[in-house]
Amino acid sequence: MIESQSYYNEDTKIWHGPIIEPSYGLNDSIGSVILEAMRKDPDHVIQISYPSGKEFTNREMAELSCRAATHYGKLKLEQTDVVGICAGNSDYVAPIFYGAIFSGLCLSTTDPSANVKGLRHTYSLTKPKIMFCDGDIYDKVQQALQECGLEDTVIYTVRNHIEGVPNVMEVLDEKYSDTDFRVPVLKHGGRQDAFFLCTSGSTSLPKAVRLSHYTVLNRIQSERTEDQKMLVFSSVYWLMGLLTLVQCAVNHTTRVISENPFTPKDFYDIVEKHRITLAASSPSHIPLCLACPETLAASDLSSIEVMVVTGKSLPYPLVAKFKEYAVNCFFPILYGMTELCGAVSSGEVNPRNSAGSIVANTNVKIMNDAGERLGPNETGEIYVQAKFISSGYYCNPEANSKTFLEDGWVRTGDMGYFNDDGELFIVDRRQDIMKYNNFHFSPTTIEKVICEIPDVAEVCVVGIPDLIYDNLPAAAVIRRNGANITESEISEYVASRMQHFENLHGGVYFFESLPLTASGKIIRKDVTEMCAKLKKLNER
């Protein structure tokens, strides 16, 4: 569990977490730390793939990763040159990832579901010298690279290979002497960029977040867990996928990956077969599991000790429902962002829906629109100052000036407050708070109330634009399997719990699924359009 505790300075109106010494210094590299860990425990199984069941020991993974590093050297790639990865989880993503880190190269990862425009935008910034992608998106990746003038970038397929196109086995077939391979000293020390990691792009085109060796090493939890098995659906495009690749290698944890997109059935099968103890999950996974209560009840989830959900907070009623089936499971809450390379606060998911207390080496202040610091129980925008954060957005000075401020403060764009006990509460994204008849309402607050209803599996509250009332609060709902709850029952429940301007004046609409980003975040803009369309049809 991440160490956290909030301390408040009444004079400065700043909250801070515990102060601890960093585990790694500026002379350490991610590659040297990982390779040393692999060589210390060569027979440990570091990765298992589902559904194939293929396993890699540390010895095998180190050998493949060193082969990849050797190949990069033969291509005359130099430290800080960029390697692109746009691929889902599969057997050989890890060794091409580790091999790049061993070589001091910088990895730029992108979402395989991104369109040509999104890929072109990212790679026009990061300019990869070589590229890895799955064969089924080769044409899309090739087009994106050509449109940003990177015709000379060689593309290797990771799986679903295409005849005549280089593939990952050409990289991993290199010969080298294990005893002779050494991870080179970083040219720019620990501050050197290790990753360009994209933001979610839910509100604009993705930005490339710079993450250094020093930051990533000191953001992972260094605690040997060789008896643990972690299930990861997240690809290396997301911070969770990236950090688990590093953390599991360093801590001797077995990383179980799924080559398939998440389904409840696969989740249950993997947990039971491999006795998963740790699970890294997307916010959409829990509602999907709860939507099929009969299958969930028939599954053995007793091995799960910790379920980490990132991307957005989960309402406590959903967690409470899930814990009825995963009886030994602890649900930590981690509030953070890619720009901070991890958590700002942590705790256990609780009925108060707090985001926990402040993590180590982190300061937080709450600011109003006039630039004044606020005290306990006063809502404003959350600003964070931390010892280990991103170096900023790559090649984006305008965005840097808006987000990364003087003295190391970072604007989160989230609205929140601290209570008298130092617990942080997230009200909503600043951009998501809307007005109904000149009253502000928070979609997240309404969602938490609707999630208390047992027959609701998932909900997204939006504001349907209206000429008279600004925005009409509306709910897009996924029912649990077999549930027959009606629009009026949901509307009446909200009306009994909330103020008049938070009532569902825009209606309740039922859907089988909701549009999601690749990280599992609901795309409110698309949901708003879906609800507005149905509202218009109902009014005819």
Side-chain angles (χ1 to χ4, degrees):
M1 183 63 189
I2 296 176
E3 183 177 352
S4 65
Q5 178 67 51
S6 296
Y7 304 93
Y8 180 58
N9 186 316
E10 292 184 3
D11 296 327
T12 63
K13 292 188 176 180
I14 291 176
W15 286 262
H16 68 88
I19 299 174
I20 62 174
E21 288 298 312
S23 301
Y24 300 95
L26 287 169
N27 293 322
D28 293 315
S29 72
I30 299 172
S32 62
V33 172
I34 287 177
L35 187 55
E36 180 183 0
M38 289 179 176
R39 286 174 170 169
K40 277 185 176 179
D41 192 1
D43 295 324
H44 169 72
V45 175
I46 186 174
Q47 179 176 290
I48 302 173
S49 297
Y50 176 88
S52 69
K54 185 174 179 60
E55 297 184 358
F56 289 99
T57 63
N58 271 338
R59 180 185 291 105
E60 293 166 331
M61 186 63 76
E63 180 178 341
L64 289 173
S65 303
C66 291
R67 288 183 181 182
T70 302
H71 187 82
Y72 300 146
K74 288 187 176 180
L75 294 176
K76 307 298 183 185
L77 296 182
E78 299 180 356
Q79 285 195 36
T80 73
D81 282 345
V82 175
V83 175
I85 298 180
C86 186
N89 287 329
S90 60
D91 292 341
Y92 297 115
V93 169
I96 60 177
F97 175 99
Y98 292 137
I101 292 301
F102 289 1
S103 303
L105 301 171
C106 184
L107 282 157
S108 174
T109 59
T110 43
D111 174 19
S113 68
N115 58 23
V116 171
K117 179 182 177 183
L119 295 175
R120 182 180 67 237
H121 169 75
T122 298
Y123 291 129
S124 66
L125 295 174
T126 62
K127 295 180 169 52
K129 293 291 184 68
I130 64 170
M131 186 76 211
F132 293 92
C133 73
D134 292 329
D136 51 341
I137 59 170
Y138 172 82
D139 291 340
K140 179 173 66 174
V141 171
Q142 183 185 48
Q143 181 184 342
L145 291 173
Q146 288 176 344
E147 288 183 6
C148 54
L150 298 174
E151 295 90 349
D152 294 335
T153 297
V154 179
I155 306 174
Y156 296 82
T157 56
V158 183
R159 57 178 173 175
N160 303 325
H161 304 305
I162 301 171
E163 187 175 351
V165 174
N167 70 66
V168 68
M169 297 314 300
E170 298 175 31
V171 177
L172 302 178
D173 280 344
E174 288 289 345
K175 304 300 180 186
Y176 81 103
S177 173
D178 187 345
T179 56
D180 292 340
F181 186 87
R182 294 291 182 272
V183 172
V185 174
L186 294 175
K187 183 165 59 174
H188 303 295
R191 301 287 186 192
Q192 183 169 308
D193 290 331
F195 307 106
F196 294 141
L197 196 61
C198 290
T199 58
S200 65
S202 57
T203 57
S204 61
L205 285 171
K207 296 180 280 291
V209 178
R210 300 170 57 196
L211 299 178
S212 71
H213 289 257
Y214 183 61
T215 289
V216 171
L217 281 174
N218 285 293
R219 274 296 196 172
I220 64 171
Q221 295 183 64
S222 297
E223 182 180 341
R224 192 176 175 97
T225 53
E226 63 266 31
D227 296 328
Q228 303 287 340
K229 289 183 178 178
M230 173 176 273
L231 171 58
V232 181
F233 278 91
S234 175
S235 73
V236 294
Y237 174 57
W238 300 106
L239 182 62
M240 176 59 73
L242 183 152
L243 291 181
T244 55
L245 258 172
V246 177
Q247 184 165 309
C248 288
V250 173
N251 293 345
H252 303 269
T253 303
T254 299
R255 183 170 168 271
V256 182
I257 60 171
S258 173
E259 298 183 0
N260 303 326
F262 178 89
T263 66
K265 182 181 183 303
D266 282 354
F267 174 74
Y268 305 146
D269 287 348
I270 298 170
V271 170
E272 290 186 16
K273 181 176 181 179
H274 297 289
R275 303 304 295 165
I276 297 297
T277 55
L278 312 169
S281 181
S282 163
S284 63
H285 294 173
I286 302 302
L288 286 172
C289 289
L290 291 172
C292 306
E294 298 83 5
T295 309
L296 179 57
S299 303
D300 180 7
L301 306 182
S302 60
S303 65
I304 302 178
E305 298 172 4
V306 178
M307 175 82 80
V308 180
V309 179
T310 60
K312 74 171 186 177
S313 62
L314 272 176
Y316 179 76
L318 292 184
V319 171
K321 292 174 191 175
F322 190 83
K323 287 181 74 169
E324 293 176 9
Y325 307 98
V327 293
N328 299 315
C329 184
F330 173 81
F331 271 85
I333 183 168
L334 301 173
Y335 164 65
M337 55 195 296
T338 304
E339 288 85 343
L340 298 165
C341 192
V344 174
S345 63
S346 73
E348 182 176 9
V349 176
N350 55 76
R352 303 180 305 282
N353 288 310
S354 86
S357 52
I358 306 304
V359 302
N361 300 321
T362 301
N363 301 324
V364 180
K365 61 183 179 182
I366 307 296
M367 304 287 286
N368 64 15
D369 291 338
E372 300 166 330
R373 295 177 189 173
L374 303 177
N377 303 303
E378 295 180 301
T379 298
E381 184 173 354
I382 301 167
Y383 285 64
V384 179
Q385 185 187 60
K387 190 174 182 67
F388 309 110
I389 65 170
S390 163
S391 309
Y393 301 122
Y394 186 63
C395 292
N396 198 333
E398 182 180 351
N400 279 330
S401 65
K402 293 179 180 178
T403 302
F404 297 91
L405 310 179
E406 295 179 359
D407 301 323
W409 287 99
V410 178
R411 290 189 67 175
T412 67
D414 292 325
M415 305 296 288
Y417 66 93
F418 285 91
N419 68 6
D420 294 325
D421 296 323
E423 289 183 296
L424 178 62
F425 290 79
I426 311 302
V427 175
D428 219 325
R429 292 287 295 172
R430 175 185 283 275
Q431 64 217 26
D432 287 340
I433 293 176
M434 289 175 277
K435 278 186 178 182
Y436 168 79
N437 200 25
N438 287 324
F439 288 93
H440 285 97
F441 69 90
S442 162
T444 299
T445 302
I446 304 173
E447 287 168 0
K448 289 174 180 175
V449 170
I450 297 175
C451 281
E452 296 172 0
I453 303 172
D455 286 341
V456 172
E458 178 69 296
V459 61
C460 176
V461 171
V462 298
I464 297 176
D466 185 84
L467 290 175
I468 299 173
Y469 297 105
D470 298 318
N471 294 281
L472 304 175
V477 174
I478 299 176
R479 297 183 181 101
R480 296 184 75 179
N481 277 4
N484 296 310
I485 191 166
T486 64
E487 295 96 326
S488 60
E489 288 173 327
I490 293 174
S491 293
E492 289 168 7
Y493 185 81
V494 171
S496 71
R497 293 288 312 280
M498 311 200 76
Q499 300 183 72
H500 70 93
F501 57 86
E502 297 170 305
N503 291 349
L504 298 174
H505 303 284
V508 177
Y509 308 94
F510 294 109
F511 299 94
E512 294 298 319
S513 63
L514 298 175
L516 305 173
T517 67
S519 65
K521 293 181 181 178
I522 295 173
I523 305 172
R524 286 192 194 272
K525 179 177 177 292
D526 292 355
V527 177
T528 301
E529 294 174 357
M530 292 160 56
C531 293
K533 183 178 180 180
L534 288 179
K535 183 176 185 299
K536 193 172 290 186
L537 288 173
N538 293 343
E539 290 172 348
R540 289 179 180 174

